[in-house]
Amino acid sequence: GEQPAAPAKTIVLSFPPTEQPGERIGRYKLYAHDGLLKTGQQFGAYRIVGLLGQGGMGSVYKAWHEATQRYVALKLLLGNSDLSADRERFLREGRLAATLNHRHTVYVFGTEEIEGRQVIVMELVRGSTLGELVQRRGPLPASAAVETILQIIDGLEAAASRGILHC
């Protein structure tokens, strides 16, 4: 029979701390260095493990936080923006997201500025994206697809109720 879909979360891939950029971890690999932070670099209270990805607003890294003894995802605003409006919007986004605690969303621990860079500190979640799952397994059975979409909607509704809208 069909297996129920796993709870949907906005997914950030997680890798063992010994892996290096470019090395394969199962079917995934860490991205090559993006010019901002390097693997092994100390960045404030975090040790950078590797680059997880980049988007329109910033880069996301896997990092080890010694004080809490856990891996986290660090989202850094691209560049050293001198525009206070950009900096404040990024930090406000992180503070607002930190007010959301829902089983179908990634938990945001908070925001901070490290070495002049704005950082959002998030839960690091193991897994893959829905797109990667479909690519790997093919189309989901109808009931699993419906359950997965309902979980995504549940997370989005929780965020929207807090005034959070993801572009």
Side-chain angles (χ1 to χ4, degrees), residues 77-88 113 116-118:
L77 181 63
L78 282 178
N80 264 331
S81 177
D82 288 330
L83 300 174
S84 61
D86 288 345
R87 294 169 62 159
E88 182 52 37
E113 189 165 317
R117 294 197 176 274
Q118 294 72 47

Side-chain angles (χ1 to χ4, degrees), residues 29-50:
K29 68 179 185 173
L30 287 171
Y31 287 84
H33 172 53
D34 69 347
L36 295 177
L37 301 177
K38 295 182 172 109
T39 299
Q41 175 181 342
Q42 193 67 33
F43 182 66
Y46 306 92
R47 182 178 50 83
I48 302 302
V49 175

Side-chain angles (χ1 to χ4, degrees), residues 93-101 107-111 121 162 164:
E93 170 193 328
R95 285 191 300 268
L96 182 59
T99 68
L100 179 63
N101 186 3
Y107 185 75
V108 173
F109 297 112
T111 62
V121 184
R162 307 285 302 172
I164 300 168

Side-chain angles (χ1 to χ4, degrees), residues 3-146:
Q3 292 183 345
K9 281 194 171 212
T10 304
I11 301 300
V12 178
L13 299 177
S14 177
F15 304 102
T18 57
E19 301 296 339
Q20 296 300 313
E23 289 186 20
R24 295 200 74 73
I25 300 115
R27 63 182 283 290
Y28 303 108
K29 68 179 185 173
L30 287 171
Y31 287 84
H33 172 53
D34 69 347
L36 295 177
L37 301 177
K38 295 182 172 109
T39 299
Q41 175 181 342
Q42 193 67 33
F43 182 66
Y46 306 92
R47 182 178 50 83
I48 302 302
V49 175
L51 177 67
L52 295 172
Q54 287 186 285
M57 218 177 154
S59 297
V60 179
Y61 295 88
K62 177 179 179 179
W64 175 252
H65 188 235
E66 186 66 36
T68 59
Q69 294 286 294
R70 72 172 153 218
Y71 289 102
V72 297
L74 298 180
K75 179 178 179 182
L76 276 71
L77 181 63
L78 282 178
N80 264 331
S81 177
D82 288 330
L83 300 174
S84 61
D86 288 345
R87 294 169 62 159
E88 182 52 37
R89 185 178 70 232
F90 184 84
L91 294 172
R92 187 174 54 246
E93 170 193 328
R95 285 191 300 268
L96 182 59
T99 68
L100 179 63
N101 186 3
H102 189 274
R103 66 189 181 121
H104 297 307
T105 64
V106 169
Y107 185 75
V108 173
F109 297 112
T111 62
E112 54 188 289
E113 189 165 317
I114 303 172
E115 298 175 15
R117 294 197 176 274
Q118 294 72 47
V119 179
I120 297 175
V121 184
M122 302 177 285
E123 168 189 21
L124 186 65
V125 180
R126 295 188 70 84
S128 61
T129 67
L130 180 58
E132 291 167 336
L133 176 68
V134 170
Q135 215 173 26
R136 186 174 63 244
R137 292 179 29 189
L140 297 175
S143 63
V146 168

